Amino acid sequence: MGGRGERRAADATFVPVALRTSLGGPSVAARAAATLDAATGGRLLLNLVTGGDAGELAADGVFMSHDESYEAASEYLTIWRACCQTTR
């Protein structure tokens, strides 16, 4: 085992999660992320996904243009940030 001050490989392990702003509501996602972050000891790593392949998005019921998806993501993040500030 590593001594004090040494970093073990497990210390650098994160839990990566893709956050698709076009699927689901920001308040529910913010709460779920906060719970997962707490459960993993602050090791949650979010990958913000604002768009993607048009066919894949259509299969999920999302029919936004590139610009519309970025506008929606901006609104999503505004709500997300507000939720995170009120849960502290």
Side-chain angles (χ1 to χ4, degrees):
M1 296 284 156
R4 188 173 203 176
E6 286 185 35
R7 236 185 131 123
R8 296 178 297 151
D11 292 340
T13 302
F14 290 93
V15 178
V17 174
L19 177 62
R20 299 189 69 138
T21 59
S22 60
L23 302 175
S27 60
V28 173
R31 287 177 182 256
T35 299
L36 185 55
D37 190 51
T40 61
R43 298 190 188 284
L44 180 64
L45 179 64
L46 291 174
N47 174 29
L48 185 65
V49 180
T50 60
D53 177 72
E56 183 180 321
L57 290 170
D60 288 329
V62 179
F63 302 95
M64 288 188 274
S65 71
H66 181 269
D67 290 344
E68 289 171 327
S69 69
Y70 276 91
E71 287 176 30
S74 177
E75 181 179 354
Y76 186 103
L77 289 175
T78 298
I79 296 167
W80 171 284
R81 288 183 186 112
C83 290
C84 291
Q85 289 175 354
T86 59
T87 59
R88 289 184 184 171

